[in-house]
Amino acid sequence: MKQLQFTAPAPDGSATVVADVVDPTPGPGEVLIEVTHAGVNFKDVMVRRGDPEYAAAWPAVAGLEVAGVVRSVGPGAVAPPVGSRVVALTNLHGLAGLVVVPAQLVVPTPASVRDELAATVPGAWATAQLLLRRLPRDGGRVLVHSAAGGVAQAVAQLAARHGVVELVGAVGSPGRVQAAEASGYDEVHVRGQDLVERVGARRFDLVLDPLGTEHLGKDVEMTAPGGVVVLFGNAGGGASEPLPTHPELMSRNVGLAGFSVNALSAARPDLVRAAMSEVLDAMAQGEVRGAVTVLHGLDQARVAHDALASGRAPGKYVIAL
């Protein structure tokens, strides 16, 4: 089969290759999926550049989420039958013709949901669904960094289902504002030193930040009493800044939390699976809509990775195999 590999750490596609490798075989509790579409995520970029938390050995194979067809089922696996259309959270190795996945992270695809959209559900949409559940109370205000990205655009589509009354986005450049607004944000700001001042007196019940800890001080300042800041990535790379002190969090009555769909899928796969199913059902009913840019062939993944790395990706990329 074909598999996209990063042969060494690199800031660009210079060490990205499409390799021929032996077809994998599912073990106990696993499912072998023939991939038709694979979602592209910023996690791929972090693997490519060799961030220690994401790339442990070389060659490395990225790919967080896929849609495809069940090819075979391993011993003891409870899974859709061979030939079924499914989506799966792969965490890694999804950018390939075939991928082995724990059966607990495989969900049937509704007939009315196209594979290119379904492929974005296990990582981006499920993450958005789970993050919005962190709202401390119904009817809250939410602020999202990287508001033009795939997860943030899914947040915008799911916001009303979670009682969000105001959704504000922050982006890294003026060229990203229109994409964030088009996805459903009420208001979008270009991130800068004066972000707190531009937001004004409003405070948010939930602040979602995939950029690491660089903006954490401002995040805490913009959070309402009883609210929470959720860190769900380290897109900027590098070492973390010092966290707010215990007395500061107490005095502001603000919570600080972390989120990793990868780690949660290992500890509580039932929660991730449920989130995938809920989003797919909403898509099948026409209650939420998604937009993707489809690129054809594994070799085109480097184009998507370069766009993500430079901050100019138009929302969500999907690779059609």
Side-chain angles (χ1 to χ4, degrees), residues 121-277:
V121 168
W125 283 82
T127 292
Q129 176 82 337
L130 291 162
L131 287 172
L132 283 167
R133 287 193 180 139
R134 305 303 291 263
L135 269 171
R137 57 182 178 270
D138 291 337
R141 288 191 173 100
V142 178
L143 173 72
V144 186
H145 288 275
S146 295
V151 171
Q153 291 191 3
V155 166
Q157 287 293 305
L158 295 167
R161 297 169 62 87
H162 291 266
V164 175
V165 297
E166 185 177 22
L167 185 63
V168 176
V171 295
S173 66
R176 308 289 281 165
V177 171
Q178 184 176 3
E181 289 177 338
S183 70
Y185 280 79
D186 299 311
E187 184 179 306
V188 182
H189 297 279
V190 178
R191 203 164 32 248
Q193 293 299 318
D194 61 342
L195 178 60
V196 176
E197 289 74 17
R198 280 184 282 127
V199 164
R202 287 170 298 172
R203 293 297 176 259
F204 297 90
D205 301 288
L206 180 64
V207 176
L208 303 176
D209 192 339
L211 300 173
T213 56
E214 179 182 358
H215 306 286
L216 184 53
K218 291 185 176 63
D219 291 344
V220 170
E221 190 175 348
M222 292 185 291
T223 303
V228 61
V229 179
V230 182
L231 304 177
F232 67 102
N234 187 23
S240 297
E241 300 288 334
L243 298 178
T245 65
H246 179 201
E248 181 180 2
L249 294 175
M250 287 182 60
S251 66
R252 291 181 176 273
N253 283 287
V254 167
L256 178 61
F259 177 84
S260 162
V261 72
N262 185 356
L264 188 63
S265 70
R268 290 292 306 273
D270 58 310
L271 296 179
V272 177
R273 181 185 175 89
M276 288 192 281
S277 295

Side-chain angles (χ1 to χ4, degrees), residues 1-96:
M1 71 168 187
K2 301 290 186 181
Q3 184 184 72
L4 192 83
Q5 296 183 350
F6 306 130
T7 60
D12 51 30
S14 59
T16 301
V17 301
V18 176
D20 287 303
V21 299
V22 176
D23 290 1
T25 301
E30 295 180 332
V31 177
L32 177 66
I33 297 172
E34 182 176 351
V35 179
T36 62
H37 295 78
V40 179
N41 296 272
F42 201 88
K43 180 179 178 179
D44 301 346
V45 175
M46 293 189 281
V47 173
R48 185 178 77 168
R49 70 191 184 193
D51 288 13
E53 302 89 345
Y54 299 96
W58 305 95
V61 182
L64 174 65
E65 53 190 350
V66 301
V69 177
V70 175
R71 170 77 71 84
S72 62
V73 177
V78 179
V82 172
S84 300
R85 293 175 61 233
V86 295
V87 301
L89 181 71
T90 58
N91 288 313
L92 290 171
H93 301 105
L95 287 166

